[in-house]
Amino acid sequence: MSQGELTAVLGAGSQFEGRLVFEGIIRIDGLFKGEVFTRDTLIVGERSKVYADVDADVVIIGGYFEGSITATSRVEIQASGCVRGKVAAPVIRIEEGGTFEGTTQMLSDAT
């Protein structure tokens, strides 16, 4: 598997509740409730609703997210994104128009 390859999609209109553990990039466009663990990238699409505890390398939020995120590299909240909860990462980026309501913790790169 090459780095940067999309390995799974939870499509629009789908619902899943549980624990996701994966390698590669996963994109959620539906409704998800649970836990996500990866050393890779999680993308939360524009029309998605995610209620979860996430531990990942990179998290990109374009839809609605509620819960906690711990990222070893970065968290990006896009203009269409909304995050409510706790975010811990060495880099947190919020595009103009994106919303964040909660607490942040800036982790060192060594964490």
Side-chain angles (χ1 to χ4, degrees):
M1 173 177 42
S2 65
Q3 190 174 19
E5 180 180 332
L6 186 63
T7 56
V9 175
L10 182 63
S14 60
Q15 298 181 19
F16 182 79
E17 187 168 343
R19 185 168 192 235
L20 287 175
V21 179
F22 64 92
E23 292 182 15
I25 300 171
I26 188 169
R27 181 179 176 97
I28 298 174
D29 287 315
L31 173 64
F32 175 81
K33 295 179 182 180
E35 299 175 305
V36 178
F37 178 80
T38 182
R39 291 296 99 209
D40 290 303
T41 301
L42 170 66
I43 300 170
V44 175
E46 281 187 33
R47 294 191 175 108
S48 63
K49 290 190 178 181
V50 175
Y51 304 87
D53 293 325
V54 173
D55 188 343
D57 183 43
V58 175
V59 180
I60 301 169
I61 307 289
Y64 180 82
F65 179 91
E66 189 172 318
S68 66
I69 300 170
T70 301
T72 53
S73 289
R74 72 182 186 280
V75 173
E76 297 179 18
I77 302 172
Q78 298 176 330
S80 58
C82 176
V83 173
R84 292 191 173 150
K86 180 181 173 188
V87 175
V91 175
I92 300 169
R93 179 175 172 255
I94 304 173
E95 289 182 1
E96 185 175 346
T99 59
F100 174 72
E101 192 176 307
T103 61
T104 61
Q105 179 182 2
M106 300 301 291
L107 302 176
S108 70
D109 289 332
T111 302

